[in-house]
């Protein structure tokens, strides 16, 4: 694991100098390899940051940026979304969720449409709000939708622990959690995916620690754990290209202000105590072994009751959406035939256009140009 000093803020001239260096290194790579270097930003927040800082547009001629599967809403398989939506058809259920799930289309409805038709669906800012809702509604079953990567998992587990401490019996949790390491390993095994390095997710790294990404060392591919500001993104790109062009791949922690070698020890303890890895279905990728989590036996009483899941119709709806290809870096959002024609943030066809962190939404907002 290589180290880098904590980033000082760059002056305007230092920024321009760094952009020039990135440009030069990228062109050197292009000359030697006959194509632009390809870097995947794994996290949706990096996708948004690249677009909002203008870096993607500025460097698009030199680097091919591809978005990865780091937006939890986007990677949730449609069958799971249908299952979540069908839960509100059960009598006596209150569904609680982060707001970004509300407009994701299932094969026959969205949670928003269900709410408009009278379903009891409540949006929380913190999963612990679901515990309060359960306490206030003892005669009903309150279901917490547990969606997210390692970043969000501790907040969901905090709610479970609070319910346990308060002996709240009517809280159930629908888990559709995602683990970062199995998905990156799966992508690297995909013969159709060309990727030369990763901007690694800073928020996930804050929980799992920089050592978690040591598996990349065996794959000889550069990875930089990055923050989200313009200067952090710039220095991360420079570090990636330094490693790539020198042929010295490794993992650099360029977000040392918040990411330690071991991550958050309490969160990691909770994860190992309360969850066990299981296979999980990903949009566009199918089931991946050990890429999700289920409760351990000790906490299995919080698992959503199988009685509520039995009546879950799922029919695959063919929409032409190519979120699966976007999430695996095979196409850019603008290469989807529906982009900005049928699919817009006001009328999203797929989750990548729904979520603020989705690649298609970021591309739409910035109206990027593909070269
Ligand atoms: S533009 Fe819309 S339909 Fe196309 S991949 Fe993105 S979300 Fe799916």
């Amino acid at each position: 694991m290589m180290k880098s000093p904590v980033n000082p803020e760059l002056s305007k001239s230092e920024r321009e100098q760094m952009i020039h260096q990135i440009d030069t290194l990228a062109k050197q790579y292009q000359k030697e390899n006959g194509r632009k270097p390809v870097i995947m930003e794994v996290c949706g927040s990096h996708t948004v940051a690249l677009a909002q800082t203008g870096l993607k547009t500025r460097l698009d001629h030199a680097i091919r940026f591809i978005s990865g599967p780091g937006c939890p809403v986007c990677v949730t398989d449609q069958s799971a979304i249908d299952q979540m939506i069908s839960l509100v058809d059960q009598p006596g259920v209150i569904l609680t969720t982060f707001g970004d799930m509300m407009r994701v289309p299932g094969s026959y409805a969205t949670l928003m449409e269900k709410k408009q038709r009278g379903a009891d669906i409540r949006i929380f800012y913190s999963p612990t709000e679901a515990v309060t809702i359960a306490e206030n509604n003892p005669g009903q079953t309150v279901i917490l939708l547990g969606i997210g990567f390692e970043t969000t998992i501790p907040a969901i587990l905090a709610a479970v622990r609070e319910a346990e401490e308060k002996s709240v019996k009517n809280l159930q949790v629908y888990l559709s959690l995602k683990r970062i390491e199995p998905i990156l390993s799966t992508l690297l095994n995909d013969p159709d995916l060309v990727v030369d390095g990763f901007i690694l997710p800073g928020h996930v790294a804050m929980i799992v620690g920089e050592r978690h990404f040591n598996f990349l060392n065996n794959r000889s591919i550069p990875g930089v754990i990055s923050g989200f500001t313009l200067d952090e993104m710039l220095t991360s790109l420079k570090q990636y290209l330094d490693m790539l062009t020198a042929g010295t791949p490794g993992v650099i922690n360029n977000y040392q202000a918040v990411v330690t070698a071991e991550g958050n020890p309490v969160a990691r303890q909770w994860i190992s105590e309360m969850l066990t890895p299981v296979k999980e279905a990903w949009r566009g990728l199918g089931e991946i072994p050990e890429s999700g989590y289920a409760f351990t036996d000790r906490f299995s009483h919080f698992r959503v009751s199988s009685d509520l899941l039995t009546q879950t119709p799922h029919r695959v709806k063919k929409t032409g959406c190519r979120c699966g290809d976007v999430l695996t870096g095979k196409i850019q959002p603008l290469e989807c035939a529906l982009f900005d024609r049928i699919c817009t943030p006001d009328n999203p066809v797929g989750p990548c256009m729904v979520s603020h962190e989705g690649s298609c939404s970021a591309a739409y907002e910035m109206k990027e140009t593909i070269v």
Side-chain angles (χ1 to χ4, degrees):
M1 183 75 63
M2 287 181 252
K3 296 278 186 185
S4 74
V6 176
N7 285 328
E9 197 168 315
L10 300 173
S11 66
K12 194 175 173 194
S13 65
E14 286 171 329
R15 274 183 206 140
E16 287 305 319
Q17 194 181 3
M18 193 162 285
I19 287 173
H20 178 69
Q21 290 168 344
I22 289 169
D23 195 60
T24 304
L25 287 167
K27 282 179 179 154
Q28 177 190 325
Y29 181 90
Q30 196 168 346
K31 198 171 165 192
E32 290 167 3
N33 295 276
R35 63 166 174 78
K36 291 192 272 189
V38 182
I39 189 164
M40 172 179 277
E41 78 274 3
V42 177
C43 170
S45 297
H46 281 138
T47 303
V48 173
L50 277 172
Q52 287 183 340
T53 57
L55 272 181
K56 185 164 181 175
T57 307
R58 180 92 188 258
L59 292 169
D60 221 20
H61 68 282
I63 300 173
R64 179 171 166 85
F65 293 95
I66 55 174
S67 299
C71 163
V73 172
C74 304
V75 293
T76 303
D77 192 63
Q78 196 180 56
S79 61
I81 288 171
D82 279 349
Q83 216 169 40
M84 294 172 208
I85 292 171
S86 71
L87 286 168
V88 298
D89 294 333
Q90 308 296 326
V93 161
I94 301 173
L95 194 79
T96 65
T97 178
F98 284 113
D100 50 6
M101 285 304 299
M102 293 299 285
R103 293 195 311 133
V104 179
S107 57
Y108 61 96
T110 64
L111 285 175
M112 183 69 80
E113 287 162 358
K114 286 283 188 180
K115 187 173 173 66
Q116 286 163 348
R117 284 182 226 142
D120 196 342
I121 302 171
R122 309 197 190 173
I123 296 170
F124 55 62
Y125 293 99
S126 163
T128 54
E129 292 169 44
V131 182
T132 307
I133 293 169
E135 287 180 290
N136 293 338
N137 295 275
Q140 290 181 276
T141 301
V142 174
I143 297 176
L144 189 172
L145 292 188
I147 313 295
F149 280 87
E150 285 93 340
T151 320
T152 318
I153 290 173
I156 295 163
L157 297 185
V160 172
R161 295 180 84 89
E162 186 178 322
E164 177 97 330
E165 281 167 23
K166 292 179 169 175
S167 298
V168 174
K169 304 289 184 202
N170 60 328
L171 181 78
Q172 299 184 6
V173 186
Y174 181 98
L175 289 184
S176 183
L177 302 174
K178 303 289 189 291
R179 300 180 60 218
I180 202 73
E181 187 270 328
I183 185 61
L184 293 189
S185 294
T186 298
L187 289 177
L188 289 174
N189 291 334
D190 183 344
D192 295 334
L193 177 67
V194 176
V195 60
D196 301 312
F198 293 109
I199 298 178
L200 294 167
H203 294 140
V204 168
M206 196 166 61
I207 302 298
V208 300
E210 61 184 76
R211 289 209 180 125
H212 187 83
F213 295 96
N214 279 348
F215 69 93
L216 288 176
N217 291 329
N218 301 330
R219 312 300 294 252
S220 295
I221 189 160
V224 184
I225 300 169
S226 183
F228 302 87
T229 66
L230 171 61
D231 292 347
E232 287 167 335
M233 300 289 287
L234 262 180
T235 49
S236 297
L237 288 171
K238 168 75 165 44
Q239 288 166 337
Y240 151 69
L241 283 165
D242 281 339
M243 286 191 280
L244 186 67
T245 52
T248 54
V251 176
I252 292 178
N253 179 5
N254 192 34
Y255 200 27
Q256 291 186 38
V258 296
V259 176
T260 62
E262 302 298 338
N264 182 319
V266 173
R268 291 182 60 203
Q269 168 65 26
W270 286 4
I271 289 171
S272 64
E273 179 189 337
M274 300 172 72
L275 301 173
T276 186
V278 292
K279 73 179 174 193
E280 177 73 14
W282 294 65
R283 188 176 290 260
L285 284 155
E287 289 184 339
I288 300 175
E290 302 204 338
S291 67
Y293 276 125
F295 284 119
T296 54
D297 289 345
R298 161 82 179 76
F299 288 87
S300 60
H301 51 289
F302 283 101
R303 189 186 304 149
V304 69
S305 162
S306 56
D307 292 348
L308 298 177
L309 293 172
T310 49
Q311 303 162 37
T312 48
H314 172 61
R315 21 179 218 276
V316 176
K317 187 177 172 188
K318 295 204 181 309
T319 61
C321 172
R322 298 188 65 188
C323 276
D325 290 332
V326 171
L327 293 165
T328 50
K330 292 183 179 141
I331 65 164
Q332 302 268 16
L334 275 69
E335 293 173 87
C336 171
L338 306 188
F339 183 90
D340 200 16
R341 295 183 181 87
I342 296 167
C343 184
T344 64
D346 288 336
N347 180 36
V349 177
C352 300
M353 189 62 92
V354 174
S355 170
H356 168 66
E357 292 197 342
S359 311
C360 299
S361 165
Y364 185 90
E365 294 304 327
M366 295 301 135
K367 299 284 187 194
E368 299 158 348
T369 314
I370 291 181
V371 292

